[in-house]
PDB file of all heavy atoms in Angstrom:
ATOM      1  N   ASP A  15     228.831 -43.205 147.066  1.00  0.00           N
ATOM      2  CA  ASP A  15     230.213 -43.543 147.435  1.00  0.00           C
ATOM      3  C   ASP A  15     230.973 -44.067 146.213  1.00  0.00           C
ATOM      4  O   ASP A  15     232.154 -43.780 146.036  1.00  0.00           O
ATOM      5  CB  ASP A  15     230.220 -44.606 148.544  1.00  0.00           C
ATOM      6  CG  ASP A  15     229.781 -44.004 149.865  1.00  0.00           C
ATOM      7  OD1 ASP A  15     229.688 -42.758 149.946  1.00  0.00           O
ATOM      8  OD2 ASP A  15     229.486 -44.785 150.802  1.00  0.00           O
ATOM      9  N   GLY A  16     230.245 -44.834 145.404  1.00  0.00           N
ATOM     10  CA  GLY A  16     230.882 -45.378 144.195  1.00  0.00           C
ATOM     11  C   GLY A  16     231.368 -44.273 143.268  1.00  0.00           C
ATOM     12  O   GLY A  16     232.489 -44.332 142.763  1.00  0.00           O
ATOM     13  N   VAL A  17     230.526 -43.280 143.049  1.00  0.00           N
ATOM     14  CA  VAL A  17     230.908 -42.190 142.137  1.00  0.00           C
ATOM     15  C   VAL A  17     232.030 -41.368 142.749  1.00  0.00           C
ATOM     16  O   VAL A  17     232.973 -40.953 142.085  1.00  0.00           O
ATOM     17  CB  VAL A  17     229.677 -41.298 141.823  1.00  0.00           C
ATOM     18  CG1 VAL A  17     230.091 -40.089 141.010  1.00  0.00           C
ATOM     19  CG2 VAL A  17     228.623 -42.114 141.073  1.00  0.00           C
ATOM     20  N   ARG A  18     231.945 -41.147 144.069  1.00  0.00           N
ATOM     21  CA  ARG A  18     233.009 -40.416 144.761  1.00  0.00           C
ATOM     22  C   ARG A  18     234.366 -41.124 144.576  1.00  0.00           C
ATOM     23  O   ARG A  18     235.378 -40.505 144.315  1.00  0.00           O
ATOM     24  CB  ARG A  18     232.679 -40.289 146.243  1.00  0.00           C
ATOM     25  CG  ARG A  18     232.769 -38.856 146.749  1.00  0.00           C
ATOM     26  CD  ARG A  18     232.594 -38.838 148.240  1.00  0.00           C
ATOM     27  NE  ARG A  18     231.249 -39.151 148.643  1.00  0.00           N
ATOM     28  CZ  ARG A  18     230.286 -38.215 148.763  1.00  0.00           C
ATOM     29  NH1 ARG A  18     230.576 -36.953 148.482  1.00  0.00           N
ATOM     30  NH2 ARG A  18     229.072 -38.528 149.120  1.00  0.00           N
ATOM     31  N   ALA A  19     234.325 -42.448 144.690  1.00  0.00           N
ATOM     32  CA  ALA A  19     235.554 -43.220 144.532  1.00  0.00           C
ATOM     33  C   ALA A  19     236.082 -43.087 143.101  1.00  0.00           C
ATOM     34  O   ALA A  19     237.288 -42.972 142.866  1.00  0.00           O
ATOM     35  CB  ALA A  19     235.299 -44.689 144.873  1.00  0.00           C
ATOM     36  N   LYS A  20     235.171 -43.064 142.144  1.00  0.00           N
ATOM     37  CA  LYS A  20     235.595 -42.909 140.762  1.00  0.00           C
ATOM     38  C   LYS A  20     236.268 -41.550 140.537  1.00  0.00           C
ATOM     39  O   LYS A  20     237.284 -41.447 139.847  1.00  0.00           O
ATOM     40  CB  LYS A  20     234.392 -43.024 139.823  1.00  0.00           C
ATOM     41  CG  LYS A  20     233.963 -44.460 139.532  1.00  0.00           C
ATOM     42  CD  LYS A  20     232.772 -44.467 138.586  1.00  0.00           C
ATOM     43  CE  LYS A  20     232.325 -45.901 138.312  1.00  0.00           C
ATOM     44  NZ  LYS A  20     231.061 -45.956 137.550  1.00  0.00           N
ATOM     45  N   LEU A  21     235.673 -40.516 141.117  1.00  0.00           N
ATOM     46  CA  LEU A  21     236.260 -39.184 140.963  1.00  0.00           C
ATOM     47  C   LEU A  21     237.645 -39.109 141.587  1.00  0.00           C
ATOM     48  O   LEU A  21     238.534 -38.451 141.063  1.00  0.00           O
ATOM     49  CB  LEU A  21     235.348 -38.135 141.557  1.00  0.00           C
ATOM     50  CG  LEU A  21     234.133 -37.737 140.699  1.00  0.00           C
ATOM     51  CD1 LEU A  21     233.274 -36.701 141.412  1.00  0.00           C
ATOM     52  CD2 LEU A  21     234.560 -37.226 139.339  1.00  0.00           C
ATOM     53  N   GLU A  22     237.792 -39.785 142.709  1.00  0.00           N
ATOM     54  CA  GLU A  22     239.117 -39.807 143.334  1.00  0.00           C
ATOM     55  C   GLU A  22     240.147 -40.512 142.466  1.00  0.00           C
ATOM     56  O   GLU A  22     241.263 -40.043 142.303  1.00  0.00           O
ATOM     57  CB  GLU A  22     239.032 -40.527 144.701  1.00  0.00           C
ATOM     58  CG  GLU A  22     238.917 -39.566 145.859  1.00  0.00           C
ATOM     59  CD  GLU A  22     238.581 -40.273 147.166  1.00  0.00           C
ATOM     60  OE1 GLU A  22     239.229 -41.287 147.472  1.00  0.00           O
ATOM     61  OE2 GLU A  22     237.623 -39.827 147.846  1.00  0.00           O
ATOM     62  N   GLU A  23     239.695 -41.602 141.875  1.00  0.00           N
ATOM     63  CA  GLU A  23     240.586 -42.349 140.974  1.00  0.00           C
ATOM     64  C   GLU A  23     240.977 -41.467 139.783  1.00  0.00           C
ATOM     65  O   GLU A  23     242.148 -41.416 139.377  1.00  0.00           O
ATOM     66  CB  GLU A  23     239.903 -43.626 140.494  1.00  0.00           C
ATOM     67  CG  GLU A  23     240.844 -44.584 139.775  1.00  0.00           C
ATOM     68  CD  GLU A  23     240.102 -45.709 139.084  1.00  0.00           C
ATOM     69  OE1 GLU A  23     238.904 -45.932 139.354  1.00  0.00           O
ATOM     70  OE2 GLU A  23     240.742 -46.359 138.245  1.00  0.00           O
ATOM     71  N   LEU A  24     239.978 -40.733 139.281  1.00  0.00           N
ATOM     72  CA  LEU A  24     240.247 -39.832 138.143  1.00  0.00           C
ATOM     73  C   LEU A  24     241.215 -38.715 138.554  1.00  0.00           C
ATOM     74  O   LEU A  24     242.140 -38.392 137.804  1.00  0.00           O
ATOM     75  CB  LEU A  24     238.924 -39.262 137.634  1.00  0.00           C
ATOM     76  CG  LEU A  24     239.010 -38.213 136.518  1.00  0.00           C
ATOM     77  CD1 LEU A  24     239.736 -38.762 135.305  1.00  0.00           C
ATOM     78  CD2 LEU A  24     237.593 -37.755 136.126  1.00  0.00           C
ATOM     79  N   ALA A  25     241.013 -38.189 139.771  1.00  0.00           N
ATOM     80  CA  ALA A  25     241.895 -37.109 140.244  1.00  0.00           C
ATOM     81  C   ALA A  25     243.343 -37.576 140.346  1.00  0.00           C
ATOM     82  O   ALA A  25     244.260 -36.868 139.935  1.00  0.00           O
ATOM     83  CB  ALA A  25     241.395 -36.579 141.593  1.00  0.00           C
TER      84      ALA A  25
END
Side-chain angles (χ1 to χ4, degrees):
Chain A
D15 288 348
V17 174
R18 232 187 289 272
K20 279 181 181 171
L21 283 179
E22 262 169 49
E23 191 190 346
L24 176 57

